Amino acid sequence: MKKYQLYLILIIFLSFPAFGQEADSLGSLNKGTISSQFDFLIKSSNNYQDYKVIKKTSLEKFKANVLDSLNLFKNQLQTVNQSLAEQQSKIAGFDKEIADTKALLTTAEAARDNFEFFGMPISKSAYNNLMWTIVAVLAAAFLFFLFKYSQSHKLISKAQKDLSDTIEEFDQHRKNTLERERKLKRELVDAMNGKIN
């Protein structure tokens, strides 16, 4: 008899987990997704002709679960929208910082490329062109004056040579004139001496 009681107790304990697994395989209204709860509601309902008869308490429990899920989704949606608004605000702030940085960069580049020259703002390229123009004008003026100097030097050298030639010719002419005068004086003296004698 004890054996039968032991077998009976063993069968009862072993049958409970089987019923529990059967209920878990169907699902429940206390856990799971909305879809699994709806499937459980349909499977656990009774049939009456072409209709399904659902317990009012189960339907209210399902309605509460659906509303809870909707409220949870609404809260999550509000959180996501808040997070999105914060992100958009941050992005707008970053866009403003980028625009400010670009303006500062443009100002810095303009300051780097420009400076004051005799109290007037001038770009480096214009200053560079101005300086090279001045250098070119000064080089042209130097070459012009060098050319004029060389021409003047040639003229002065020619004039000095002509002067020395003229002085030499004049000296030679003076010597010749003196020599002639001496000859004429001798002849005059000789002629005067010849008349006297």
Side-chain angles (χ1 to χ4, degrees), residues 56-120:
K56 190 174 183 183
T57 57
S58 297
L59 192 58
E60 287 175 353
K61 178 73 172 161
F62 182 69
K63 178 183 175 185
N65 289 345
V66 169
L67 290 175
D68 285 345
S69 295
L70 285 175
N71 287 335
L72 179 67
F73 289 140
K74 282 180 185 177
N75 289 339
Q76 287 177 348
L77 184 62
Q78 284 177 348
T79 305
V80 167
N81 284 339
Q82 257 183 339
S83 175
L84 183 64
E86 288 174 4
Q87 295 296 325
Q88 286 176 342
S89 173
K90 285 181 183 178
I91 289 172
F94 289 145
D95 287 343
K96 184 180 182 315
E97 286 180 19
I98 288 172
D100 292 344
T101 304
K102 282 183 180 179
L104 287 173
L105 178 64
T106 304
T107 304
E109 285 177 347
R112 184 194 68 197
D113 291 339
N114 294 322
F115 60 95
E116 286 196 15
F117 182 67
F118 293 122
M120 295 179 355

Side-chain angles (χ1 to χ4, degrees), residues 16-29 31 40 43:
F16 277 123
F19 290 126
Q21 287 176 355
E22 192 176 305
D24 278 350
S25 67
L26 287 175
S28 76
L29 291 176
K31 61 182 180 179
F40 173 76
K43 287 179 184 177

Side-chain angles (χ1 to χ4, degrees), residues 35-191:
S35 177
S36 68
Q37 289 178 16
F38 187 70
D39 290 340
F40 173 76
L41 196 59
I42 290 175
K43 287 179 184 177
S44 65
S45 63
N46 296 325
N47 290 331
Y48 174 74
Q49 295 176 356
D50 283 339
Y51 302 104
K52 284 282 194 184
V53 177
I54 301 173
K55 291 182 184 178
K56 190 174 183 183
T57 57
S58 297
L59 192 58
E60 287 175 353
K61 178 73 172 161
F62 182 69
K63 178 183 175 185
N65 289 345
V66 169
L67 290 175
D68 285 345
S69 295
L70 285 175
N71 287 335
L72 179 67
F73 289 140
K74 282 180 185 177
N75 289 339
Q76 287 177 348
L77 184 62
Q78 284 177 348
T79 305
V80 167
N81 284 339
Q82 257 183 339
S83 175
L84 183 64
E86 288 174 4
Q87 295 296 325
Q88 286 176 342
S89 173
K90 285 181 183 178
I91 289 172
F94 289 145
D95 287 343
K96 184 180 182 315
E97 286 180 19
I98 288 172
D100 292 344
T101 304
K102 282 183 180 179
L104 287 173
L105 178 64
T106 304
T107 304
E109 285 177 347
R112 184 194 68 197
D113 291 339
N114 294 322
F115 60 95
E116 286 196 15
F117 182 67
F118 293 122
M120 295 179 355
I122 189 169
S123 68
K124 284 185 178 179
S125 60
Y127 174 78
N128 195 15
N129 291 337
L130 177 67
M131 287 299 115
W132 280 112
T133 303
I134 290 172
V135 167
V137 167
L138 290 175
F142 174 74
L143 291 175
F144 175 74
F145 287 118
L146 185 66
F147 174 73
K148 285 296 189 180
Y149 173 77
S150 66
Q151 278 189 339
S152 298
H153 186 3
K154 285 179 186 176
L155 288 174
I156 289 171
S157 296
K158 185 175 184 285
Q160 284 177 342
K161 186 180 175 204
D162 288 348
L163 180 63
S164 67
D165 288 347
T166 305
I167 289 174
E168 197 177 301
E169 283 179 18
F170 181 71
D171 285 343
Q172 188 64 36
H173 179 67
R174 193 170 40 150
K175 282 182 188 175
N176 290 340
T177 306
L178 282 174
E179 193 65 38
R180 235 182 288 140
E181 278 182 20
R182 280 186 200 149
K183 255 189 199 178
L184 283 174
K185 279 186 184 178
R186 274 189 208 145
E187 285 177 5
L188 186 62
V189 169
D190 285 341

